[in-house]
Amino acid sequence: MTTARNSGRCALRLRDSWRRCRERLPVALYRVGLGPVLGRHRILLHHTDRSSGRIQHTALKVMLYDAKRGHWLLASAPESAWYRDLHALPLTTIQVRNRHYAVTAYLLDDDEVERIMTGRSHHLPRVGRRRVLTTGAAGDDAAPTHRGAGSSLTLVRLDAAPGQRLP
């Protein structure tokens, strides 16, 4: 009985270690110069740790990119470290492919999150439905409403500094 219990713990640790490896792989790819492999939909955020002041690197998936205005939109949980770091110090840099951009982070309020999620769900209905189902917001089948979808989801808009050539 002890071996069965220990093998369950080992399998759990192995699964967690594979997940951590998969999450850290984009950062490693950026460090060795293979950022273009990930494309425009993954960025590397260079942010300053709010407690130690050290530079941290986090690979994030871009939810929406507006080339005309130079905006990247990222989704986050409010308890994630990079989100809290950007709340403390919003001036930072990102890396898209092999180019670096100076950006300013704006943490969006609930009304703006709801407006963006409603507009985005018309273009990608599966994503909108999934967000509503995971946040527990009620809506009807014909046109799902996204009221309350922004309660557990926070959005960060990164605005590029003027004068930069954008991707």
Side-chain angles (χ1 to χ4, degrees):
M1 188 160 154
T2 306
T3 56
R5 193 171 40 190
N6 288 340
S7 65
R9 287 181 188 164
C10 183
L12 182 64
R13 272 188 258 144
L14 183 63
R15 192 172 357 142
D16 287 344
S17 65
W18 279 109
R19 188 186 67 213
R20 262 184 305 210
C21 182
R22 187 183 71 225
E23 290 172 359
R24 292 179 183 168
L25 182 64
V27 176
L29 288 174
Y30 268 109
R31 284 189 179 160
V32 297
L34 295 175
V37 172
L38 301 172
R40 285 191 315 195
H41 300 289
R42 286 247 182 215
I43 64 169
L44 185 67
L45 177 71
H46 305 273
H47 55 96
T48 306
D49 190 0
R50 65 193 176 284
S51 57
S52 68
R54 292 179 25 182
I55 301 292
Q56 300 291 329
H57 305 284
T58 306
L60 299 169
K61 188 168 182 166
V62 175
M63 193 171 151
L64 185 66
Y65 172 64
D66 185 2
K68 289 183 202 173
R69 297 180 184 151
H71 297 319
W72 286 270
L73 195 66
L74 310 171
S76 170
E79 61 271 358
S80 63
W82 68 267
Y83 178 81
R84 291 183 290 175
D85 291 343
L86 287 181
H87 185 68
L89 186 64
L91 297 174
T92 187
T93 58
I94 60 171
Q95 183 178 349
V96 181
R97 296 181 181 163
N98 279 340
R99 294 189 53 95
H100 291 80
Y101 301 97
V103 295
T104 303
Y106 294 98
L107 310 175
L108 304 179
D109 59 352
D110 291 338
D111 295 334
E112 206 166 354
V113 169
E114 184 179 332
R115 183 181 54 81
I116 289 170
M117 290 303 295
T118 303
R120 185 156 166 77
S121 68
H122 294 300
H123 297 292
L124 299 170
R126 270 189 294 165
V127 172
R129 267 189 306 223
R130 196 173 308 131
R131 297 254 192 256
V132 169
L133 291 175
T134 58
T135 58
D140 59 25
D141 297 335
T145 60
H146 298 280
R147 192 155 297 280
S151 58
S152 65
L153 177 74
T154 57
L155 295 182
V156 178
R157 187 182 75 222
L158 301 176
D159 291 346
Q164 299 185 84
R165 198 181 95 207
L166 297 174

